[in-house]
Amino acid sequence: MQAEEKKSLVGEEYEVEIGPVAHGGHCIARTAEGQVLFVRHALPGERVVVRVTEGEEGARFLRADAVRILEPSKDRIEAPCPFAGPGRCGGCDWQHAKPGAQRRLKGEVIAEQLKRLAGLTPEEVGWDGTVVPAEGDKLPAGQVPQWRTRVQYAVDAEGHAGLRRHRSHEIERIDHCMIAAEGVSELGIERRDWTGMESVEAIAATGSQDRQVILTPRPGARLPLVELDKPVSVLRVDEKSGGVHRVHGRPFVRERADGRTHRVAGGGFWQVHPKAADTLVTAVMQGLLPRKGEMALDLYCGVGLFAGALADRLGEKGAVLGIESGKRAVEDARHNLADFPRVRIEQGKVESVLPRTGITEVDLIVLDPPRAGAGRTTVAHLCSLDARRIAYVACDPAALARDLAYFREGGYRVRTLRAFDLFPMTSHVECVAVLEPATKGL
């Protein structure tokens, strides 16, 4: 017998009271029947009317937007961005919340993930519960920091650049992104015709005037003549290989952090907020307190930001091994760290390369894994190396919490945790956890 098709609830409206914030830029509510709702554009404690955007009868949860605010929170403001709101641009999650409230919400998410996935309280990880804004970002309600130095624009069928709607391939046309850094906005991407392109990524380097656009053409389309409002390098993504090739100008941008210049080629990974790299290096070095002559690992090392900072502080007798899977990032890291003879960069996945190195003991470890985290096997290996301190840089509090539970199994405890609001207006948050052997001081 064919299973009975369940009725879609998309478009249904419910009046609900909004409960706590949850990981992912939404809050929790329940229908009168008890069905769970993940609600965007709402704040805890509000009474609202929601409209379902995804889900069907009997589903574990429904997704919904708050479309009418009956009893607003004191933390609510009118979204500064004209493209924010239900059914509109999906780039920001908290435009409707005061800046201080956004940081409190992020702190509540971190605390909830730590408790649920690692059984840890803020006190147990040495965290005061605050999420710290980046320098210069503490602005009054209604003002938006221009922090996003890398913006990926989607292009619609008519050649207009815009941003995707939440959980959708549909494109919201915009004439300006409020969180884009000045160096991105001044290129004027939104005012140009991008017919034949699938996407346009704009990059404005921190600490140099380097500007770059990376074009992804639709199959068979020709590249347009790129004439923007400022000098810019142009790269293209090859539709077959997915590789990035230079069209004209430099194939890289120069980023400045920790007093050093870093080459980042072809849209490679670099922190998006202009203050992020320096903020994170400072937090990591304050947590590790490197000593001259020590041996350190920098895992998922990218173009060598932390490896360079470590090498600089460990001195001529210290040594750093960096591991990174991306071929181009490894090339950049080796270039960026060429003046440190005792730094080595290996290419490959951490879980494959680290066991092959034969290293059985190190003093310090930095890891900055992708959003999914490092995982149980890698964490177990790191615990076996007897490092006196480990710094874990995390862009996802759920992955961080899971990995902290694995570190505890391996005999490490969290000494301090710090949280930074390096993605204002969005639900994302960056954390730095510093760990040490649980037996230390006992």
Side-chain angles (χ1 to χ4, degrees):
M1 255 179 78
Q2 195 171 2
E4 189 180 334
E5 197 170 317
K6 291 182 179 176
K7 180 189 170 190
S8 169
L9 294 177
V10 173
E12 292 290 319
E13 293 189 356
Y14 302 93
E15 183 178 321
V16 298
E17 185 162 328
I18 300 297
V21 65
H23 184 32
H26 49 251
C27 296
I28 304 292
R30 289 182 183 272
T31 66
E33 294 75 35
Q35 191 159 26
V36 174
L37 293 160
F38 290 165
V39 184
R40 281 173 58 82
H41 311 292
L43 292 171
E46 292 188 323
R47 189 146 200 92
V48 305
V49 174
V50 303
R51 182 178 298 141
V52 175
T53 56
E54 287 181 44
E56 57 192 20
E57 283 183 342
R60 204 158 53 85
F61 61 85
L62 307 174
R63 295 185 184 275
D65 286 337
V67 292
R68 291 197 300 284
I69 313 302
L70 307 177
E71 295 174 18
S73 163
K74 62 179 174 50
D75 290 325
R76 177 174 284 277
I77 59 170
E78 188 168 341
C81 176
F83 307 107
R88 306 292 302 277
C89 174
C92 292
D93 304 292
W94 299 119
Q95 286 267 350
H96 58 287
K98 292 176 181 175
Q102 293 183 35
R103 293 191 284 273
R104 282 200 308 278
L105 292 169
K106 295 182 188 193
E108 288 171 19
V109 168
I110 296 167
E112 191 267 337
Q113 296 296 307
L114 286 171
K115 188 68 182 170
R116 189 167 64 84
L117 298 173
L120 292 167
T121 64
E123 294 75 24
E124 287 173 314
V125 296
W127 176 46
D128 64 5
T130 62
V131 175
V132 181
E135 182 189 336
D137 276 2
K138 208 164 183 183
L139 300 174
Q143 291 187 32
V144 175
Q146 297 171 280
W147 60 271
R148 196 166 187 97
T149 59
R150 293 165 179 240
V151 178
Q152 177 108 24
Y153 298 89
V155 179
D156 65 20
E158 285 78 48
H160 297 281
L163 298 171
R164 295 202 184 275
R165 294 171 180 163
H166 181 61
R167 292 175 63 82
S168 170
H169 292 295
E170 290 183 18
I171 296 167
E172 180 78 19
R173 289 188 187 181
I174 64 169
D175 55 31
H176 176 62
C177 175
M178 291 189 78
I179 64 172
E182 187 180 347
V184 169
S185 296
E186 67 187 13
L187 295 177
I189 300 289
E190 301 95 336
R191 297 187 292 276
R192 296 291 183 270
D193 179 2
W194 299 102
T195 298
M197 298 301 102
E198 198 166 276
S199 68
V200 180
E201 183 177 8
I203 297 170
T206 300
S208 77
Q209 291 301 306
D210 293 351
R211 304 288 180 263
Q212 189 177 80
V213 296
I214 302 175
L215 305 176
T216 302
R218 296 180 189 277
R222 295 181 61 181
L223 287 187
L225 182 64
V226 178
E227 293 180 339
L228 295 172
D229 297 345
K230 294 285 180 179
V232 66
S233 298
V234 178
L235 284 72
R236 66 165 288 167
V237 176
D238 184 271
E239 62 183 80
K240 290 177 183 171
S241 70
V244 180
H245 305 291
R246 184 178 72 90
V247 177
H248 70 74
R250 282 195 188 97
F252 57 84
V253 294
R254 294 162 299 175
E255 303 276 6
R256 287 285 294 176
D258 195 42
R260 298 174 55 79
T261 297
H262 302 75
R263 185 182 83 180
V264 184
F269 176 78
W270 186 261
Q271 291 288 343
V272 179
H273 193 295
K275 301 288 185 185
D278 276 325
T279 298
L280 295 173
V281 165
T282 299
V284 167
M285 296 304 137
Q286 286 175 346
L288 293 180
L289 296 175
R291 301 169 187 161
K292 298 290 185 188
E294 288 189 313
M295 161 68 184
L297 294 176
D298 180 10
L299 308 179
Y300 317 93
C301 71
V303 300
L305 172 65
F306 295 116
L310 285 164
D312 203 34
R313 291 156 177 82
L314 296 176
E316 291 178 8
K317 294 184 179 178
V320 182
L321 171 65
I323 301 176
E324 165 60 39
S325 62
K327 183 182 176 187
R328 191 162 289 188
V330 167
E331 291 170 2
D332 285 341
R334 288 171 177 163
H335 173 272
N336 296 334
L337 304 170
D339 52 343
F340 292 115
R342 289 178 61 78
V343 173
R344 193 168 99 243
I345 307 295
E346 296 285 349
Q347 188 195 341
K349 293 185 180 296
V350 169
E351 60 268 29
S352 303
V353 174
L354 188 54
R356 292 204 306 263
T357 63
I359 292 171
T360 56
E361 196 173 345
V362 295
D363 299 297
L364 302 172
I365 300 171
V366 180
L367 65 156
D368 186 1
R371 192 166 294 283
R376 186 189 292 272
T377 303
T378 295
V379 169
H381 191 146
L382 299 185
C383 292
S384 75
L385 299 178
D386 201 28
R388 69 173 179 85
R389 286 203 180 167
I390 299 172
Y392 187 132
V393 182
C395 60
D396 184 272
L400 172 64
R402 281 192 295 270
D403 283 347
L404 290 184
Y406 302 147
F407 273 111
R408 185 174 53 203
E409 290 174 9
Y412 276 78
R413 69 178 181 193
V414 185
R415 178 185 173 89
T416 60
L417 186 142
R418 298 171 70 183
F420 302 97
D421 190 16
L422 301 180
F423 309 89
M425 302 291 147
T426 79
S427 62
H428 301 294
V429 63
E430 200 86 14
C431 295
V432 176
V434 176
L435 299 102
E436 65 184 6
T439 54
K440 186 178 172 70
L442 295 181

